[in-house]
Amino acid sequence: MNLAHVQTFVVAVETGNLNKTALKLNVTQSTVTARIDALENLIGQKLLRRNKSGTELTPAGAKFLRHAEVMVQVWKQARYETSLPRGFEDVCAIGCDPALWTGIGELWVGSLRGERGTIAISVAEGAGDIARSWQMNAMVDVVFSYTPPSGAFAVDVLCEDVFMEVATVKRGLMRWDPDYVFVDLGEDFRRKHAEAYPVEETAIVTFTSSAHALDHILTCGGSAYLPYRVAKPHLEAARLHEVEGAPRFTRTVYLARNTARTDSWPWFESFSASFKRKLADAMRV
């Protein structure tokens, strides 16, 4: 299987358009078409439906996409690790749930750059099936996740992520805020939220990203449940206010490490302990 064909397929899915794919890869559209045709012929299934408005995945394409992303990521990681910049001794590959980057993933990367200047860093964001594929294939060294990884990874409880209702105006708890923005933070959060707010009204705006919800209410006003680490600078600047009397919710955050890699780093244990102290200070409500 030609890796260039697989990479072209992944980019075509990302862009949803063969012309944009050609521009991104700096090749002709006919080259893009030929690569995808060759891949489909090899697999024996149509992977993309192509029409004037763009491309969309077929059922077979949706199944293949998960494996294609893993193949591309493995190649990137292999290329990265075998071509370290001069003066660097190793690379730390980090997998981070996108919801945990702000205040957690970014703190790890910033601390590592400051304390271990000879360690290069590779960061990949993903959750669910993508994160599980990283762990199964040992593609990352450290993972920040709401779900404890399995396999060769040692798992520690890193912290409790605190979610609080914040609003752009000072107010107390109310039955329903017509400007409330719902942030879907997973099944456990949905259950706790429904128990705390048993109302029939439905939020007009829903996000799966706390960062996007934050941007929205700062621009348009309103309220939402956000992680304290995301809302903290805006609470301190009085751009946001915690809703008085509103219940807080928590989710457990896990730090998992590939022991085959991290046990060979003499600096890892002390760095990890230092990071946890910094994070505890930053997360203190």
Side-chain angles (χ1 to χ4, degrees), residues 46-68:
K46 280 291 181 184
L47 302 177
L48 294 173
R49 294 190 187 96
R50 310 171 214 179
N51 50 55
K52 292 181 180 180
S53 61
T55 61
E56 60 181 22
L57 283 167
T58 65
K63 292 178 181 178
F64 180 70
L65 178 61
R66 292 177 296 171
H67 303 288

PDB file of all heavy atoms in Angstrom, residues 46-68:
ATOM      1  N   LYS A  46     -15.447   1.432  -2.775  1.00  0.00           N
ATOM      2  CA  LYS A  46     -15.479   2.881  -2.934  1.00  0.00           C
ATOM      3  C   LYS A  46     -15.364   3.528  -1.557  1.00  0.00           C
ATOM      4  O   LYS A  46     -16.106   3.175  -0.634  1.00  0.00           O
ATOM      5  CB  LYS A  46     -16.792   3.320  -3.610  1.00  0.00           C
ATOM      6  CG  LYS A  46     -16.803   3.145  -5.121  1.00  0.00           C
ATOM      7  CD  LYS A  46     -15.837   4.127  -5.779  1.00  0.00           C
ATOM      8  CE  LYS A  46     -15.849   4.004  -7.297  1.00  0.00           C
ATOM      9  NZ  LYS A  46     -14.852   4.895  -7.919  1.00  0.00           N
ATOM     10  N   LEU A  47     -14.431   4.436  -1.416  1.00  0.00           N
ATOM     11  CA  LEU A  47     -14.198   5.096  -0.130  1.00  0.00           C
ATOM     12  C   LEU A  47     -14.822   6.487  -0.067  1.00  0.00           C
ATOM     13  O   LEU A  47     -15.188   6.956   1.016  1.00  0.00           O
ATOM     14  CB  LEU A  47     -12.692   5.212   0.133  1.00  0.00           C
ATOM     15  CG  LEU A  47     -11.920   3.887   0.134  1.00  0.00           C
ATOM     16  CD1 LEU A  47     -10.433   4.150   0.325  1.00  0.00           C
ATOM     17  CD2 LEU A  47     -12.445   2.941   1.203  1.00  0.00           C
ATOM     18  N   LEU A  48     -14.911   7.137  -1.228  1.00  0.00           N
ATOM     19  CA  LEU A  48     -15.457   8.495  -1.284  1.00  0.00           C
ATOM     20  C   LEU A  48     -16.515   8.601  -2.374  1.00  0.00           C
ATOM     21  O   LEU A  48     -16.333   8.078  -3.477  1.00  0.00           O
ATOM     22  CB  LEU A  48     -14.347   9.517  -1.573  1.00  0.00           C
ATOM     23  CG  LEU A  48     -13.270   9.726  -0.517  1.00  0.00           C
ATOM     24  CD1 LEU A  48     -12.188  10.644  -1.061  1.00  0.00           C
ATOM     25  CD2 LEU A  48     -13.876  10.320   0.751  1.00  0.00           C
ATOM     26  N   ARG A  49     -17.601   9.284  -2.055  1.00  0.00           N
ATOM     27  CA  ARG A  49     -18.555   9.676  -3.086  1.00  0.00           C
ATOM     28  C   ARG A  49     -18.148  11.058  -3.571  1.00  0.00           C
ATOM     29  O   ARG A  49     -17.987  11.979  -2.775  1.00  0.00           O
ATOM     30  CB  ARG A  49     -19.977   9.722  -2.529  1.00  0.00           C
ATOM     31  CG  ARG A  49     -20.526   8.373  -2.100  1.00  0.00           C
ATOM     32  CD  ARG A  49     -22.015   8.468  -1.802  1.00  0.00           C
ATOM     33  NE  ARG A  49     -22.522   7.223  -1.232  1.00  0.00           N
ATOM     34  CZ  ARG A  49     -22.657   7.004   0.057  1.00  0.00           C
ATOM     35  NH1 ARG A  49     -22.316   7.954   0.927  1.00  0.00           N
ATOM     36  NH2 ARG A  49     -23.117   5.856   0.507  1.00  0.00           N
ATOM     37  N   ARG A  50     -17.995  11.203  -4.869  1.00  0.00           N
ATOM     38  CA  ARG A  50     -17.522  12.464  -5.427  1.00  0.00           C
ATOM     39  C   ARG A  50     -18.629  13.100  -6.260  1.00  0.00           C
ATOM     40  O   ARG A  50     -19.242  12.444  -7.103  1.00  0.00           O
ATOM     41  CB  ARG A  50     -16.284  12.235  -6.285  1.00  0.00           C
ATOM     42  CG  ARG A  50     -15.211  11.418  -5.569  1.00  0.00           C
ATOM     43  CD  ARG A  50     -14.088  11.012  -6.498  1.00  0.00           C
ATOM     44  NE  ARG A  50     -13.560   9.703  -6.140  1.00  0.00           N
ATOM     45  CZ  ARG A  50     -12.596   9.093  -6.796  1.00  0.00           C
ATOM     46  NH1 ARG A  50     -12.033   9.665  -7.849  1.00  0.00           N
ATOM     47  NH2 ARG A  50     -12.179   7.900  -6.411  1.00  0.00           N
ATOM     48  N   ASN A  51     -18.894  14.376  -5.994  1.00  0.00           N
ATOM     49  CA  ASN A  51     -19.892  15.116  -6.757  1.00  0.00           C
ATOM     50  C   ASN A  51     -19.446  16.555  -6.911  1.00  0.00           C
ATOM     51  O   ASN A  51     -18.345  16.931  -6.451  1.00  0.00           O
ATOM     52  CB  ASN A  51     -21.264  15.031  -6.067  1.00  0.00           C
ATOM     53  CG  ASN A  51     -21.180  15.389  -4.582  1.00  0.00           C
ATOM     54  OD1 ASN A  51     -20.698  16.459  -4.225  1.00  0.00           O
ATOM     55  ND2 ASN A  51     -21.630  14.471  -3.723  1.00  0.00           N
ATOM     56  N   LYS A  52     -20.267  17.376  -7.529  1.00  0.00           N
ATOM     57  CA  LYS A  52     -19.872  18.756  -7.814  1.00  0.00           C
ATOM     58  C   LYS A  52     -19.636  19.562  -6.547  1.00  0.00           C
ATOM     59  O   LYS A  52     -18.804  20.481  -6.532  1.00  0.00           O
ATOM     60  CB  LYS A  52     -20.945  19.432  -8.671  1.00  0.00           C
ATOM     61  CG  LYS A  52     -21.042  18.871 -10.085  1.00  0.00           C
ATOM     62  CD  LYS A  52     -22.102  19.616 -10.882  1.00  0.00           C
ATOM     63  CE  LYS A  52     -22.192  19.058 -12.301  1.00  0.00           C
ATOM     64  NZ  LYS A  52     -23.234  19.769 -13.101  1.00  0.00           N
ATOM     65  N   SER A  53     -20.367  19.245  -5.490  1.00  0.00           N
ATOM     66  CA  SER A  53     -20.228  20.014  -4.253  1.00  0.00           C
ATOM     67  C   SER A  53     -19.052  19.574  -3.396  1.00  0.00           C
ATOM     68  O   SER A  53     -18.668  20.263  -2.455  1.00  0.00           O
ATOM     69  CB  SER A  53     -21.515  19.918  -3.432  1.00  0.00           C
ATOM     70  OG  SER A  53     -21.772  18.574  -3.075  1.00  0.00           O
ATOM     71  N   GLY A  54     -18.455  18.425  -3.706  1.00  0.00           N
ATOM     72  CA  GLY A  54     -17.311  17.961  -2.922  1.00  0.00           C
ATOM     73  C   GLY A  54     -17.278  16.454  -2.794  1.00  0.00           C
ATOM     74  O   GLY A  54     -17.704  15.731  -3.693  1.00  0.00           O
ATOM     75  N   THR A  55     -16.794  15.986  -1.660  1.00  0.00           N
ATOM     76  CA  THR A  55     -16.691  14.550  -1.411  1.00  0.00           C
ATOM     77  C   THR A  55     -17.306  14.216  -0.067  1.00  0.00           C
ATOM     78  O   THR A  55     -17.360  15.052   0.841  1.00  0.00           O
ATOM     79  CB  THR A  55     -15.224  14.091  -1.400  1.00  0.00           C
ATOM     80  OG1 THR A  55     -14.532  14.770  -0.336  1.00  0.00           O
ATOM     81  CG2 THR A  55     -14.541  14.387  -2.724  1.00  0.00           C
ATOM     82  N   GLU A  56     -17.765  12.986   0.055  1.00  0.00           N
ATOM     83  CA  GLU A  56     -18.249  12.505   1.348  1.00  0.00           C
ATOM     84  C   GLU A  56     -17.895  11.028   1.482  1.00  0.00           C
ATOM     85  O   GLU A  56     -17.760  10.311   0.484  1.00  0.00           O
ATOM     86  CB  GLU A  56     -19.756  12.716   1.492  1.00  0.00           C
ATOM     87  CG  GLU A  56     -20.591  12.010   0.459  1.00  0.00           C
ATOM     88  CD  GLU A  56     -22.082  12.284   0.643  1.00  0.00           C
ATOM     89  OE1 GLU A  56     -22.433  13.298   1.264  1.00  0.00           O
ATOM     90  OE2 GLU A  56     -22.875  11.466   0.158  1.00  0.00           O
ATOM     91  N   LEU A  57     -17.741  10.599   2.716  1.00  0.00           N
ATOM     92  CA  LEU A  57     -17.334   9.227   2.989  1.00  0.00           C
ATOM     93  C   LEU A  57     -18.456   8.239   2.692  1.00  0.00           C
ATOM     94  O   LEU A  57     -19.623   8.498   2.970  1.00  0.00           O
ATOM     95  CB  LEU A  57     -16.935   9.078   4.455  1.00  0.00           C
ATOM     96  CG  LEU A  57     -15.567   9.619   4.872  1.00  0.00           C
ATOM     97  CD1 LEU A  57     -15.472   9.666   6.384  1.00  0.00           C
ATOM     98  CD2 LEU A  57     -14.451   8.767   4.295  1.00  0.00           C
ATOM     99  N   THR A  58     -18.091   7.106   2.123  1.00  0.00           N
ATOM    100  CA  THR A  58     -18.993   5.967   2.046  1.00  0.00           C
ATOM    101  C   THR A  58     -18.890   5.204   3.369  1.00  0.00           C
ATOM    102  O   THR A  58     -17.976   5.455   4.175  1.00  0.00           O
ATOM    103  CB  THR A  58     -18.599   5.038   0.889  1.00  0.00           C
ATOM    104  OG1 THR A  58     -17.306   4.474   1.194  1.00  0.00           O
ATOM    105  CG2 THR A  58     -18.535   5.793  -0.434  1.00  0.00           C
ATOM    106  N   PRO A  59     -19.795   4.258   3.641  1.00  0.00           N
ATOM    107  CA  PRO A  59     -19.649   3.446   4.861  1.00  0.00           C
ATOM    108  C   PRO A  59     -18.294   2.750   4.934  1.00  0.00           C
ATOM    109  O   PRO A  59     -17.670   2.685   5.997  1.00  0.00           O
ATOM    110  CB  PRO A  59     -20.807   2.442   4.747  1.00  0.00           C
ATOM    111  CG  PRO A  59     -21.850   3.172   3.962  1.00  0.00           C
ATOM    112  CD  PRO A  59     -21.089   3.987   2.955  1.00  0.00           C
ATOM    113  N   ALA A  60     -17.812   2.244   3.797  1.00  0.00           N
ATOM    114  CA  ALA A  60     -16.490   1.608   3.790  1.00  0.00           C
ATOM    115  C   ALA A  60     -15.396   2.626   4.058  1.00  0.00           C
ATOM    116  O   ALA A  60     -14.421   2.339   4.760  1.00  0.00           O
ATOM    117  CB  ALA A  60     -16.252   0.918   2.438  1.00  0.00           C
ATOM    118  N   GLY A  61     -15.562   3.827   3.508  1.00  0.00           N
ATOM    119  CA  GLY A  61     -14.579   4.883   3.733  1.00  0.00           C
ATOM    120  C   GLY A  61     -14.504   5.296   5.188  1.00  0.00           C
ATOM    121  O   GLY A  61     -13.420   5.569   5.714  1.00  0.00           O
ATOM    122  N   ALA A  62     -15.662   5.346   5.855  1.00  0.00           N
ATOM    123  CA  ALA A  62     -15.690   5.712   7.276  1.00  0.00           C
ATOM    124  C   ALA A  62     -14.935   4.687   8.113  1.00  0.00           C
ATOM    125  O   ALA A  62     -14.219   5.035   9.055  1.00  0.00           O
ATOM    126  CB  ALA A  62     -17.137   5.831   7.748  1.00  0.00           C
ATOM    127  N   LYS A  63     -15.072   3.392   7.750  1.00  0.00           N
ATOM    128  CA  LYS A  63     -14.345   2.358   8.490  1.00  0.00           C
ATOM    129  C   LYS A  63     -12.839   2.441   8.220  1.00  0.00           C
ATOM    130  O   LYS A  63     -12.021   2.298   9.116  1.00  0.00           O
ATOM    131  CB  LYS A  63     -14.872   0.977   8.093  1.00  0.00           C
ATOM    132  CG  LYS A  63     -16.293   0.707   8.539  1.00  0.00           C
ATOM    133  CD  LYS A  63     -16.762  -0.663   8.063  1.00  0.00           C
ATOM    134  CE  LYS A  63     -18.202  -0.936   8.482  1.00  0.00           C
ATOM    135  NZ  LYS A  63     -18.683  -2.239   7.983  1.00  0.00           N
ATOM    136  N   PHE A  64     -12.492   2.685   6.951  1.00  0.00           N
ATOM    137  CA  PHE A  64     -11.079   2.734   6.592  1.00  0.00           C
ATOM    138  C   PHE A  64     -10.387   3.963   7.175  1.00  0.00           C
ATOM    139  O   PHE A  64      -9.184   3.934   7.462  1.00  0.00           O
ATOM    140  CB  PHE A  64     -10.929   2.732   5.069  1.00  0.00           C
ATOM    141  CG  PHE A  64      -9.494   2.784   4.606  1.00  0.00           C
ATOM    142  CD1 PHE A  64      -8.654   1.688   4.784  1.00  0.00           C
ATOM    143  CD2 PHE A  64      -8.972   3.936   4.020  1.00  0.00           C
ATOM    144  CE1 PHE A  64      -7.335   1.733   4.376  1.00  0.00           C
ATOM    145  CE2 PHE A  64      -7.648   3.984   3.611  1.00  0.00           C
ATOM    146  CZ  PHE A  64      -6.830   2.885   3.793  1.00  0.00           C
ATOM    147  N   LEU A  65     -11.138   5.052   7.362  1.00  0.00           N
ATOM    148  CA  LEU A  65     -10.541   6.306   7.836  1.00  0.00           C
ATOM    149  C   LEU A  65      -9.809   6.118   9.157  1.00  0.00           C
ATOM    150  O   LEU A  65      -8.723   6.668   9.354  1.00  0.00           O
ATOM    151  CB  LEU A  65     -11.619   7.382   7.976  1.00  0.00           C
ATOM    152  CG  LEU A  65     -11.153   8.744   8.512  1.00  0.00           C
ATOM    153  CD1 LEU A  65     -10.113   9.361   7.573  1.00  0.00           C
ATOM    154  CD2 LEU A  65     -12.338   9.682   8.695  1.00  0.00           C
ATOM    155  N   ARG A  66     -10.389   5.343  10.068  1.00  0.00           N
ATOM    156  CA  ARG A  66      -9.745   5.137  11.375  1.00  0.00           C
ATOM    157  C   ARG A  66      -8.364   4.515  11.211  1.00  0.00           C
ATOM    158  O   ARG A  66      -7.397   4.909  11.866  1.00  0.00           O
ATOM    159  CB  ARG A  66     -10.616   4.243  12.252  1.00  0.00           C
ATOM    160  CG  ARG A  66     -11.931   4.869  12.704  1.00  0.00           C
ATOM    161  CD  ARG A  66     -12.756   3.910  13.500  1.00  0.00           C
ATOM    162  NE  ARG A  66     -13.163   2.761  12.711  1.00  0.00           N
ATOM    163  CZ  ARG A  66     -13.749   1.679  13.219  1.00  0.00           C
ATOM    164  NH1 ARG A  66     -13.956   1.578  14.509  1.00  0.00           N
ATOM    165  NH2 ARG A  66     -14.099   0.673  12.433  1.00  0.00           N
ATOM    166  N   HIS A  67      -8.274   3.539  10.320  1.00  0.00           N
ATOM    167  CA  HIS A  67      -6.985   2.866  10.103  1.00  0.00           C
ATOM    168  C   HIS A  67      -6.025   3.778   9.344  1.00  0.00           C
ATOM    169  O   HIS A  67      -4.821   3.785   9.605  1.00  0.00           O
ATOM    170  CB  HIS A  67      -7.215   1.573   9.318  1.00  0.00           C
ATOM    171  CG  HIS A  67      -8.163   0.632   9.984  1.00  0.00           C
ATOM    172  ND1 HIS A  67      -7.835  -0.079  11.121  1.00  0.00           N
ATOM    173  CD2 HIS A  67      -9.440   0.305   9.691  1.00  0.00           C
ATOM    174  CE1 HIS A  67      -8.860  -0.821  11.493  1.00  0.00           C
ATOM    175  NE2 HIS A  67      -9.842  -0.604  10.642  1.00  0.00           N
ATOM    176  N   ALA A  68      -6.560   4.565   8.399  1.00  0.00           N
ATOM    177  CA  ALA A  68      -5.722   5.483   7.621  1.00  0.00           C
ATOM    178  C   ALA A  68      -5.079   6.522   8.518  1.00  0.00           C
ATOM    179  O   ALA A  68      -3.889   6.843   8.370  1.00  0.00           O
ATOM    180  CB  ALA A  68      -6.559   6.158   6.535  1.00  0.00           C
TER     181      ALA A  68
END
